[in-house]
Amino acid sequence: MSDSKKFLIVEDEEKVASFIKKGLFTQGYGSEIASTGREALVFFESQKYDLVILDIGLPDMSGLEVCEQIRRANAKVPILMLTALGSVSDKLSGFEVGTDDYLVKPFDFMELLVRIKALLKRSNENMPEDDILKVADLELNLHQKVAIRAGKVIALTAKEFNLLEYLMRNRGRVVSKLDIAEYVWDIDFDTGTNFIEVYVNYLRNKLDKGFDEKLIHTIFGMGYTLKSK
């Protein structure tokens, strides 16, 4: 097997699941198939997987709910959502519960493979330098996956955490929407969507609301920056 990687395929359409599993086998990856959300959660609790391929439309429960439960148990395992829905709201729903990337059906296997390799590469990258990032009274513990401002713990989704980490690592520097899309979501930015603004607003509401000093700033026509006075 390729680096002994093992994937969990959560897909109730037998032909699609078989198509993915056979394709992965040709690339040296092992995989198991769960046809329901509950079966997937049982598999995930009992075994270790390097990546989860998760269909949003399952017969017993929403793939979003499965993703959320998997993410509670494991904050790092890459999750690739398969969906027949392609609207911005659907994508945002997936990102909100911790999806790392999405792919709209029908898809070409090579496109799926490219997404998988990108997710594996990111998950295998070593975390640089310190485990704690600090800007003013805001701290981000990369090991414990916890954000704290002025002593108060702030609950963040997986994508909000990744976005905040990127902004803090680039403190004082203006980062564009393209930069954010490529680093946080590993996708090319579609100028027709506003999910970057949506997530920046999510962070603002959680980090800056109620505080005199605002840390997240919009630089009109250029992007965003996180900085203290």
Side-chain angles (χ1 to χ4, degrees):
M1 295 298 172
S2 180
D3 298 327
S4 300
K5 299 293 184 187
K6 187 176 181 181
F7 303 159
L8 176 60
I9 303 167
V10 190
E11 171 62 69
D12 64 311
E13 294 183 52
E14 188 176 344
K15 288 183 179 179
V16 175
S18 178
F19 163 72
I20 296 173
K21 181 168 184 170
K22 288 178 180 177
L24 292 174
F25 182 77
T26 65
Q27 300 298 313
Y29 296 117
S31 60
E32 291 183 328
I33 297 172
S35 57
T36 68
R38 290 183 179 85
E39 185 180 20
L41 293 174
V42 170
F43 279 11
F44 194 82
E45 287 177 3
S46 60
Q47 300 185 57
K48 181 181 181 298
Y49 296 98
D50 298 286
L51 183 139
V52 178
I53 300 171
L54 175 61
D55 184 36
I56 195 172
L58 298 170
D60 59 336
M61 59 196 297
S62 168
L64 296 174
E65 185 180 348
V66 176
C67 178
E68 193 169 24
Q69 292 194 39
I70 288 176
R71 191 53 79 212
R72 284 184 197 144
N74 188 317
K76 295 183 178 181
V77 63
I79 301 175
L80 174 63
M81 185 80 78
L82 302 180
T83 174
L85 310 172
S87 73
V88 174
S89 61
D90 296 321
K91 297 169 188 174
L92 286 175
S93 295
F95 288 139
E96 182 65 18
V97 295
T99 303
D100 293 289
D101 200 358
Y102 68 91
L103 192 57
V104 178
K105 295 178 178 179
F107 55 84
D108 181 82
F109 178 75
M110 291 309 296
E111 182 180 4
L112 173 66
L113 187 61
V114 167
R115 301 291 184 98
I116 286 172
K117 288 186 175 180
L119 290 175
L120 290 176
K121 180 181 178 183
R122 284 184 57 193
S123 68
N124 289 335
E125 288 175 350
N126 293 325
M127 187 179 293
E129 67 261 353
D130 297 335
D131 279 350
I132 297 179
L133 302 178
K134 295 182 181 180
V135 176
D137 57 354
L138 174 65
E139 292 187 6
L140 195 66
N141 189 309
L142 303 177
H143 180 68
Q144 297 180 358
K145 298 292 182 182
V146 172
I148 299 173
R149 181 160 191 193
K152 179 184 176 183
V153 175
I154 301 167
L156 299 176
T157 66
K159 281 302 170 189
E160 289 169 353
F161 187 95
N162 291 344
L163 173 57
L164 179 57
E165 178 185 348
Y166 182 65
L167 291 173
M168 291 184 75
R169 287 194 183 281
N170 290 278
R171 60 177 296 178
R173 185 171 80 86
V174 178
V175 292
S176 69
K177 294 178 184 177
L178 177 60
D179 293 332
I180 294 172
E182 288 182 343
Y183 180 86
V184 180
W185 278 273
D186 234 349
I187 58 174
D188 294 328
F189 177 62
D190 180 353
T191 55
T193 65
N194 69 338
F195 71 90
I196 302 293
E197 290 97 325
V198 169
Y199 268 83
V200 170
N201 284 334
Y202 286 159
L203 275 186
R204 276 200 173 109
N205 287 333
K206 292 184 176 183
L207 296 178
D208 285 342
K209 194 172 183 179
F211 291 92
D212 291 333
E213 182 180 9
K214 309 304 179 185
L215 298 179
I216 301 176
H217 306 272
T218 299
I219 310 301
F220 184 73
M222 298 178 67
Y224 304 96
T225 184
L226 189 147
K227 63 180 181 179
S228 59
K229 294 177 183 178

